[in-house]
Amino acid sequence: MFSAAADAVPRPRPPQDPPSHKQRDAFFDNAKYLAIVLVAVAHSWEPLKGDSRILEGVYTVVYSFHMPAFIVISGFFSRSFDMRPDRLKRLVTGVAVPYIVFETAYSLFKRYADHDPGMEISLLDPWFLTWFLVALFIWRLTTPIWKLVRWPLPLALGIAMLASVTPDIGDDLDLQRVLQFLPYFVLGLVMKPEHFRMVRRRSMRIAAVPVFAAALAVGWWAVPRMATEWFYHRNAVQEMGAPWWTGPVMVLAMFGSSLLLTACFFAWVPGRRMWFTALGAGTLYGYLLHGFLIKGADFAGWFDHPWLHRPAGELFVSALAALAVTLLCTAPVRRVLRCVMEPDMNWAFRREAAEVAREREQKAAAPREKVSA
């Protein structure tokens, strides 16, 4: 009798994530795709920009908002993260494991493709673009803290300002970048859907035109006056030979300018479904894979051809980089590499007691259903 009564009482179940079939917001997929195209194109400009003040000016403008935009979106979609076991598992399989795989792959790639036998495999020293996975892992782990404190964004800005004057942080896990880009992630955490709707109004789209025009003019003016290193956020101010007080000032100034350009970028992102909308689901694939193409071309000396350093060549390289990263975001590439980017690692984790209990109930209920049938 007690057993039957217990079966009749519904047991509480852990909260479930939204179903996977839930319709995706086209705006965010569009924004992620366009941001990742800008990342790839900007990387393709690095070997060419030294010969063109115009290209370097455009490069600095793009660098001031393309990663901030991507990080703000990452923060926005991390709002529901907590320490639930299933979310921690996804963090490990979707971020930590790809980092280990790609950091190892990039280190070996540089060692052999660039003939650099001294290149070591070090998971503590991210090379090239793998720093973002380290940063995303740390940022997401700290999400519950940012949801707990009263003034998360001012606190994150304070941490970034202190990091900019603390060279002793060193290069381990690229913590300078992790801390100096932290405010953009925290901003995404505190944003709401209506904030994105605000910047997508027609008035904002119109205002974005003169803002970007002014940014390009300032970028061209700043090329001989400001080191591009400021836009990477990977060094303390002392390592760049500037007075210590410029670190906090530049963190605030660049956060303000990056936020303005990011808002203008979001204002131009279409909100309806486009031919590239579906590619927004594969931007991490494009991000991690395009580096092999860019660095491989650089190691092979392909960027040394003089005609590539002319305007027509720069446009050709830009279009090629955009096409390449687009192809790397497509479904066939994701299917092939899903075992690396989204591996099934249930074998590596302990099973939750609630999950085991539910399976036991289902097995016990199966014979009863057969008998009743």
Coordinates of all heavy atoms in Angstrom, one line a residue, residues 20-88:
S20 N 15.5 21.7 -27.1 CA 16.4 22.1 -28.1 C 15.7 22.6 -29.4 O 16.3 23.2 -30.2 CB 17.3 20.9 -28.5 OG 16.5 19.8 -28.9
H21 N 14.4 22.2 -29.6 CA 13.7 22.6 -30.8 C 13.2 24.0 -30.7 O 12.6 24.5 -31.6 CB 12.6 21.6 -31.1 CG 11.5 21.6 -30.0 ND1 11.6 20.7 -28.9 CD2 10.4 22.4 -29.9 CE1 10.5 20.9 -28.2 NE2 9.8 21.9 -28.7
K22 N 13.4 24.7 -29.6 CA 12.9 26.0 -29.4 C 13.5 26.9 -30.5 O 14.7 26.8 -30.8 CB 13.3 26.6 -28.1 CG 12.8 28.0 -27.8 CD 13.1 28.4 -26.4 CE 12.6 29.8 -26.1 NZ 13.0 30.3 -24.8
Q23 N 12.7 27.7 -31.1 CA 13.2 28.6 -32.3 C 14.2 29.5 -31.8 O 14.1 30.2 -30.8 CB 12.0 29.3 -32.8 CG 12.3 30.1 -34.1 CD 11.1 30.8 -34.7 OE1 10.0 30.7 -34.2 NE2 11.3 31.4 -35.9
R24 N 15.3 29.6 -32.6 CA 16.4 30.5 -32.3 C 16.1 31.9 -32.8 O 15.3 32.1 -33.7 CB 17.7 30.0 -33.0 CG 18.2 28.6 -32.5 CD 19.3 28.1 -33.4 NE 20.5 28.9 -33.2 CZ 21.5 28.7 -32.4 NH1 21.5 27.5 -31.7 NH2 22.5 29.5 -32.3
D25 N 16.7 32.8 -32.1 CA 16.5 34.2 -32.4 C 17.4 34.6 -33.6 O 18.6 34.5 -33.5 CB 16.8 35.1 -31.2 CG 16.3 36.6 -31.5 OD1 16.5 37.1 -32.6 OD2 15.9 37.2 -30.5
A26 N 16.9 34.9 -34.7 CA 17.7 35.2 -35.9 C 18.7 36.3 -35.7 O 19.8 36.3 -36.3 CB 16.8 35.5 -37.1
F27 N 18.3 37.3 -34.9 CA 19.2 38.5 -34.7 C 20.5 38.0 -34.1 O 21.6 38.4 -34.6 CB 18.5 39.5 -33.8 CG 19.4 40.5 -33.2 CD1 19.9 41.6 -34.0 CD2 19.9 40.4 -31.9 CE1 20.8 42.5 -33.6 CE2 20.8 41.4 -31.5 CZ 21.2 42.4 -32.3
F28 N 20.5 37.2 -33.1 CA 21.7 36.8 -32.4 C 22.5 35.9 -33.3 O 23.8 36.0 -33.3 CB 21.4 36.1 -31.1 CG 20.8 37.0 -30.1 CD1 19.5 37.0 -29.7 CD2 21.7 37.9 -29.5 CE1 19.0 37.8 -28.7 CE2 21.2 38.8 -28.5 CZ 19.8 38.8 -28.2
D29 N 21.9 35.0 -34.1 CA 22.7 34.2 -35.0 C 23.3 35.0 -36.1 O 24.4 34.8 -36.5 CB 21.8 33.1 -35.7 CG 21.6 31.9 -34.7 OD1 22.5 31.7 -33.9 OD2 20.5 31.2 -34.9
N30 N 22.6 36.0 -36.6 CA 23.1 37.0 -37.6 C 24.3 37.7 -37.0 O 25.3 37.9 -37.7 CB 22.1 37.9 -38.0 CG 21.0 37.3 -38.9 OD1 21.1 36.2 -39.4 ND2 19.8 37.9 -38.9
A31 N 24.1 38.2 -35.8 CA 25.2 39.0 -35.1 C 26.5 38.1 -34.9 O 27.6 38.6 -35.2 CB 24.7 39.5 -33.8
K32 N 26.3 36.9 -34.5 CA 27.4 36.0 -34.3 C 28.2 35.7 -35.6 O 29.4 35.7 -35.6 CB 27.0 34.7 -33.6 CG 26.6 34.9 -32.1 CD 26.5 33.6 -31.4 CE 25.4 32.7 -32.0 NZ 25.2 31.4 -31.2
Y33 N 27.4 35.5 -36.6 CA 28.0 35.2 -37.9 C 28.8 36.4 -38.4 O 30.0 36.3 -38.8 CB 27.0 34.8 -39.0 CG 27.5 34.8 -40.4 CD1 28.4 33.8 -40.8 CD2 27.2 35.8 -41.2 CE1 28.9 33.8 -42.1 CE2 27.7 35.8 -42.5 CZ 28.6 34.8 -42.9 OH 29.1 34.9 -44.2
L34 N 28.2 37.6 -38.4 CA 28.8 38.8 -38.9 C 30.1 39.1 -38.1 O 31.1 39.5 -38.6 CB 27.9 39.9 -38.9 CG 26.7 39.8 -39.9 CD1 25.7 40.9 -39.8 CD2 27.2 39.7 -41.4
A35 N 30.0 38.9 -36.8 CA 31.1 39.2 -35.9 C 32.3 38.2 -36.2 O 33.5 38.6 -36.2 CB 30.7 39.1 -34.4
I36 N 32.0 36.9 -36.5 CA 33.0 36.0 -36.7 C 33.7 36.2 -38.1 O 34.9 36.0 -38.3 CB 32.5 34.5 -36.6 CG1 33.7 33.6 -36.1 CG2 32.0 34.0 -37.9 CD1 34.2 33.9 -34.7
V37 N 32.9 36.7 -39.0 CA 33.5 37.1 -40.3 C 34.5 38.3 -40.1 O 35.6 38.3 -40.7 CB 32.4 37.5 -41.3 CG1 33.0 38.2 -42.5 CG2 31.6 36.3 -41.8
L38 N 34.1 39.2 -39.3 CA 35.0 40.4 -39.0 C 36.3 39.9 -38.3 O 37.4 40.4 -38.6 CB 34.3 41.4 -38.2 CG 33.2 42.2 -38.9 CD1 32.5 43.1 -37.9 CD2 33.8 43.0 -40.0
V39 N 36.1 38.9 -37.4 CA 37.3 38.4 -36.8 C 38.3 37.7 -37.8 O 39.5 38.0 -37.8 CB 36.9 37.3 -35.7 CG1 38.1 36.5 -35.2 CG2 36.2 38.0 -34.5
A40 N 37.7 36.9 -38.7 CA 38.6 36.3 -39.7 C 39.2 37.3 -40.6 O 40.4 37.2 -41.0 CB 37.8 35.2 -40.4
V41 N 38.4 38.2 -41.1 CA 38.9 39.2 -42.0 C 40.0 40.1 -41.3 O 41.1 40.3 -41.9 CB 37.8 40.1 -42.5 CG1 38.4 41.3 -43.3 CG2 36.9 39.3 -43.4
A42 N 39.8 40.5 -40.1 CA 40.8 41.2 -39.4 C 42.1 40.4 -39.2 O 43.2 41.0 -39.3 CB 40.3 41.7 -38.0
H43 N 42.0 39.1 -38.9 CA 43.2 38.3 -38.8 C 43.9 38.2 -40.2 O 45.2 38.2 -40.2 CB 42.8 36.9 -38.4 CG 42.6 36.8 -36.9 ND1 41.8 35.8 -36.3 CD2 43.0 37.5 -35.9 CE1 41.8 36.0 -35.0 NE2 42.5 37.0 -34.7
S44 N 43.2 38.2 -41.3 CA 43.9 38.2 -42.6 C 44.6 39.5 -42.9 O 45.4 39.5 -43.8 CB 42.8 37.8 -43.7 OG 42.0 39.0 -43.9
W45 N 44.2 40.6 -42.2 CA 44.8 41.9 -42.5 C 46.1 42.0 -41.7 O 46.9 42.9 -42.1 CB 43.9 43.0 -42.0 CG 42.7 43.2 -42.9 CD1 42.5 42.7 -44.2 CD2 41.5 43.9 -42.6 NE1 41.3 43.1 -44.6 CE2 40.6 43.9 -43.7 CE3 41.1 44.6 -41.4 CZ2 39.4 44.5 -43.7 CZ3 39.8 45.2 -41.4 CH2 39.0 45.1 -42.5
E46 N 46.4 41.2 -40.7 CA 47.5 41.4 -39.9 C 48.8 41.4 -40.7 O 49.7 42.2 -40.4 CB 47.6 40.4 -38.7 CG 46.5 40.7 -37.7 CD 46.5 39.6 -36.5 OE1 47.4 38.8 -36.6 OE2 45.6 39.7 -35.7
P47 N 49.0 40.5 -41.6 CA 50.3 40.5 -42.3 C 50.4 41.6 -43.4 O 51.5 41.8 -44.0 CB 50.3 39.1 -43.0 CG 49.3 38.3 -42.4 CD 48.2 39.3 -41.9
L48 N 49.3 42.3 -43.6 CA 49.2 43.3 -44.7 C 49.2 44.7 -44.2 O 49.6 45.6 -45.0 CB 48.0 43.0 -45.6 CG 47.8 41.6 -46.2 CD1 46.5 41.6 -47.0 CD2 49.0 41.3 -47.1
K49 N 48.7 44.9 -43.0 CA 48.3 46.3 -42.6 C 49.5 47.2 -42.4 O 49.4 48.4 -42.4 CB 47.5 46.2 -41.3 CG 48.3 45.6 -40.1 CD 47.4 45.5 -38.9 CE 48.1 44.9 -37.7 NZ 49.3 45.8 -37.2
G50 N 50.7 46.6 -42.2 CA 51.9 47.5 -42.0 C 52.2 48.4 -43.2 O 52.9 49.4 -43.0
D51 N 51.7 48.0 -44.4 CA 52.0 48.8 -45.6 C 51.0 49.8 -45.9 O 51.1 50.6 -46.9 CB 52.2 47.9 -46.8 CG 53.4 47.0 -46.6 OD1 54.4 47.4 -46.0 OD2 53.4 45.8 -47.1
S52 N 49.9 49.9 -45.2 CA 48.8 50.8 -45.5 C 48.2 51.4 -44.3 O 47.7 50.7 -43.4 CB 47.7 49.9 -46.2 OG 46.5 50.7 -46.4
R53 N 48.3 52.7 -44.2 CA 47.8 53.4 -43.1 C 46.2 53.3 -43.0 O 45.6 53.2 -42.0 CB 48.2 54.9 -43.1 CG 47.6 55.7 -42.0 CD 48.2 57.1 -42.0 NE 47.7 58.0 -40.9 CZ 48.0 59.2 -40.7 NH1 49.0 59.8 -41.4 NH2 47.5 59.9 -39.7
I54 N 45.6 53.3 -44.2 CA 44.2 53.2 -44.3 C 43.7 51.8 -43.7 O 42.8 51.7 -42.9 CB 43.7 53.4 -45.7 CG1 43.9 54.8 -46.2 CG2 42.2 53.0 -45.8 CD1 43.5 55.1 -47.6
L55 N 44.4 50.7 -44.2 CA 44.0 49.4 -43.7 C 44.3 49.3 -42.2 O 43.4 48.7 -41.5 CB 44.9 48.4 -44.5 CG 44.5 46.9 -44.2 CD1 43.0 46.6 -44.5 CD2 45.4 45.9 -44.9
E56 N 45.4 49.8 -41.7 CA 45.6 49.7 -40.3 C 44.6 50.5 -39.5 O 44.2 50.1 -38.4 CB 47.0 50.2 -39.9 CG 47.3 50.0 -38.5 CD 48.8 49.7 -38.2 OE1 49.6 49.7 -39.2 OE2 49.2 49.4 -37.1
G57 N 44.1 51.6 -40.0 CA 43.1 52.4 -39.4 C 41.8 51.6 -39.3 O 41.1 51.6 -38.3
V58 N 41.4 51.0 -40.4 CA 40.2 50.2 -40.5 C 40.3 49.0 -39.5 O 39.4 48.6 -38.8 CB 39.9 49.7 -41.9 CG1 38.7 48.8 -41.9 CG2 39.6 50.9 -42.8
Y59 N 41.5 48.4 -39.5 CA 41.8 47.3 -38.6 C 41.6 47.6 -37.1 O 41.0 46.9 -36.4 CB 43.3 46.8 -38.9 CG 43.8 45.8 -37.9 CD1 43.7 44.4 -38.2 CD2 44.5 46.1 -36.8 CE1 44.2 43.4 -37.4 CE2 45.1 45.1 -36.0 CZ 44.9 43.8 -36.3 OH 45.4 42.8 -35.4
T60 N 42.1 48.8 -36.7 CA 41.9 49.2 -35.3 C 40.4 49.4 -35.0 O 40.0 49.1 -33.9 CB 42.7 50.4 -35.0 OG1 42.3 51.5 -35.9 CG2 44.2 50.2 -35.1
V61 N 39.7 50.0 -35.9 CA 38.2 50.2 -35.7 C 37.5 48.9 -35.5 O 36.7 48.7 -34.6 CB 37.6 51.0 -36.8 CG1 36.1 51.1 -36.7 CG2 38.2 52.4 -36.8
V62 N 37.8 47.9 -36.5 CA 37.2 46.6 -36.4 C 37.6 45.9 -35.1 O 36.7 45.3 -34.4 CB 37.6 45.7 -37.6 CG1 37.1 44.3 -37.4 CG2 36.9 46.3 -38.8
Y63 N 38.9 46.0 -34.7 CA 39.3 45.4 -33.5 C 38.7 46.0 -32.2 O 38.7 45.3 -31.2 CB 40.8 45.4 -33.4 CG 41.5 44.1 -33.5 CD1 41.7 43.5 -34.7 CD2 41.8 43.3 -32.4 CE1 42.3 42.2 -34.9 CE2 42.4 42.1 -32.5 CZ 42.6 41.5 -33.7 OH 43.1 40.3 -33.8
S64 N 38.2 47.2 -32.3 CA 37.7 47.8 -31.1 C 36.3 47.3 -30.8 O 35.8 47.6 -29.7 CB 37.6 49.4 -31.3 OG 36.7 49.7 -32.4
F65 N 35.6 46.6 -31.7 CA 34.3 46.1 -31.4 C 33.9 44.7 -31.8 O 33.0 44.1 -31.3 CB 33.2 47.1 -32.1 CG 33.1 46.9 -33.5 CD1 32.2 46.0 -34.1 CD2 33.8 47.7 -34.5 CE1 32.0 45.8 -35.4 CE2 33.6 47.5 -35.8 CZ 32.7 46.6 -36.3
H66 N 34.8 44.0 -32.7 CA 34.3 42.7 -33.1 C 34.3 41.7 -32.0 O 33.4 41.0 -31.8 CB 35.1 42.2 -34.3 CG 36.5 41.9 -34.2 ND1 37.2 42.1 -33.0 CD2 37.4 41.3 -35.0 CE1 38.4 41.7 -33.2 NE2 38.6 41.2 -34.4
M67 N 35.4 41.6 -31.2 CA 35.4 40.7 -30.0 C 34.5 41.2 -28.9 O 33.8 40.4 -28.3 CB 36.8 40.5 -29.5 CG 37.7 39.6 -30.4 SD 36.9 38.0 -30.8 CE 36.8 37.2 -29.1
P68 N 34.5 42.5 -28.6 CA 33.5 42.9 -27.6 C 32.0 42.5 -27.9 O 31.3 42.1 -27.1 CB 33.6 44.4 -27.6 CG 35.1 44.6 -27.9 CD 35.4 43.6 -28.9
A69 N 31.7 42.6 -29.2 CA 30.3 42.2 -29.6 C 30.1 40.7 -29.4 O 29.1 40.3 -28.8 CB 30.1 42.6 -31.1
F70 N 31.1 39.9 -29.8 CA 31.0 38.5 -29.6 C 30.9 38.1 -28.1 O 30.2 37.2 -27.7 CB 32.2 37.8 -30.2 CG 32.0 36.4 -30.7 CD1 31.2 36.2 -31.8 CD2 32.5 35.3 -30.0 CE1 31.0 34.9 -32.2 CE2 32.2 34.0 -30.4 CZ 31.5 33.8 -31.5
I71 N 31.7 38.8 -27.3 CA 31.7 38.6 -25.8 C 30.4 39.0 -25.1 O 29.9 38.3 -24.2 CB 33.0 39.2 -25.2 CG1 34.2 38.6 -25.7 CG2 32.9 39.1 -23.7 CD1 35.5 39.4 -25.4
V72 N 29.9 40.1 -25.6 CA 28.6 40.6 -25.0 C 27.5 39.5 -25.3 O 26.7 39.2 -24.4 CB 28.2 41.9 -25.6 CG1 26.7 42.2 -25.3 CG2 29.1 43.0 -25.0
I73 N 27.5 39.0 -26.5 CA 26.5 37.9 -26.8 C 26.8 36.7 -25.9 O 25.8 36.1 -25.4 CB 26.5 37.6 -28.3 CG1 26.1 38.8 -29.1 CG2 25.7 36.4 -28.6 CD1 26.2 38.6 -30.6
S74 N 28.0 36.3 -25.8 CA 28.4 35.2 -24.9 C 27.9 35.4 -23.5 O 27.4 34.4 -22.9 CB 29.9 34.9 -25.0 OG 30.3 34.7 -26.3
G75 N 28.0 36.6 -23.0 CA 27.6 36.9 -21.6 C 26.1 36.8 -21.6 O 25.5 36.3 -20.6
F76 N 25.4 37.4 -22.6 CA 23.9 37.3 -22.6 C 23.4 35.9 -22.5 O 22.4 35.6 -21.8 CB 23.4 38.1 -23.8 CG 21.9 38.2 -24.0 CD1 21.2 39.0 -23.2 CD2 21.3 37.4 -24.9 CE1 19.8 39.1 -23.3 CE2 19.9 37.5 -25.0 CZ 19.2 38.3 -24.2
F77 N 24.0 35.0 -23.3 CA 23.5 33.6 -23.3 C 24.1 32.8 -22.1 O 23.8 31.6 -22.1 CB 23.8 33.0 -24.6 CG 22.9 33.4 -25.7 CD1 23.2 34.4 -26.6 CD2 21.7 32.8 -25.8 CE1 22.3 34.8 -27.6 CE2 20.8 33.2 -26.8 CZ 21.1 34.2 -27.7
S78 N 24.9 33.4 -21.3 CA 25.3 32.7 -20.1 C 24.5 33.1 -18.8 O 24.9 32.7 -17.7 CB 26.8 33.1 -19.8 OG 27.6 32.6 -20.9
R79 N 23.5 33.9 -19.0 CA 22.7 34.4 -17.8 C 22.1 33.2 -17.0 O 22.0 33.4 -15.8 CB 21.6 35.3 -18.3 CG 22.1 36.6 -18.9 CD 20.9 37.4 -19.5 NE 20.2 36.6 -20.5 CZ 19.0 36.8 -20.9 NH1 18.2 37.7 -20.3 NH2 18.4 36.0 -21.8
S80 N 21.8 32.1 -17.6 CA 21.1 31.0 -16.9 C 22.1 30.1 -16.3 O 21.8 29.1 -15.7 CB 20.2 30.3 -17.8 OG 20.9 29.7 -18.9
F81 N 23.4 30.3 -16.5 CA 24.4 29.4 -16.0 C 24.5 29.4 -14.5 O 24.5 30.4 -13.9 CB 25.8 29.7 -16.6 CG 26.9 28.7 -16.2 CD1 27.1 27.6 -16.9 CD2 27.6 29.0 -15.0 CE1 28.0 26.6 -16.5 CE2 28.6 28.0 -14.6 CZ 28.8 26.9 -15.4
D82 N 24.5 28.2 -14.0 CA 24.7 28.0 -12.5 C 25.5 26.7 -12.4 O 26.1 26.2 -13.3 CB 23.3 27.9 -11.8 CG 22.4 26.8 -12.4 OD1 22.9 25.9 -13.0 OD2 21.2 27.0 -12.3
M83 N 25.6 26.3 -11.2 CA 26.5 25.1 -10.9 C 25.8 23.8 -11.0 O 26.2 22.8 -10.4 CB 27.1 25.3 -9.5 CG 28.1 26.4 -9.4 SD 29.5 26.2 -10.7 CE 30.4 27.7 -10.4
R84 N 24.6 23.8 -11.7 CA 24.0 22.5 -11.9 C 24.9 21.5 -12.7 O 25.6 21.9 -13.6 CB 22.7 22.7 -12.8 CG 21.4 22.8 -12.0 CD 20.3 23.1 -12.9 NE 20.3 22.3 -14.2 CZ 19.3 22.6 -15.1 NH1 18.4 23.5 -14.9 NH2 19.4 21.9 -16.2
P85 N 24.9 20.3 -12.3 CA 25.8 19.3 -12.9 C 25.7 19.2 -14.4 O 26.8 19.1 -15.1 CB 25.4 18.0 -12.3 CG 24.8 18.4 -10.9 CD 24.1 19.7 -11.2
D86 N 24.5 19.3 -15.0 CA 24.4 19.2 -16.4 C 25.1 20.4 -17.1 O 25.7 20.2 -18.2 CB 22.9 19.0 -16.9 CG 22.1 20.2 -16.4 OD1 22.4 20.8 -15.4 OD2 21.1 20.5 -17.1
R87 N 25.0 21.6 -16.5 CA 25.6 22.7 -17.1 C 27.1 22.7 -17.0 O 27.8 23.1 -17.9 CB 25.0 24.0 -16.5 CG 23.5 24.2 -17.0 CD 23.0 25.6 -16.7 NE 21.7 25.8 -17.2 CZ 20.6 26.0 -16.6 NH1 20.6 26.1 -15.2 NH2 19.4 26.2 -17.2
L88 N 27.6 22.2 -15.9 CA 29.0 22.1 -15.7 C 29.6 21.0 -16.7 O 30.7 21.2 -17.2 CB 29.3 21.6 -14.2 CG 29.1 22.7 -13.2 CD1 29.3 22.1 -11.8 CD2 30.1 23.8 -13.4

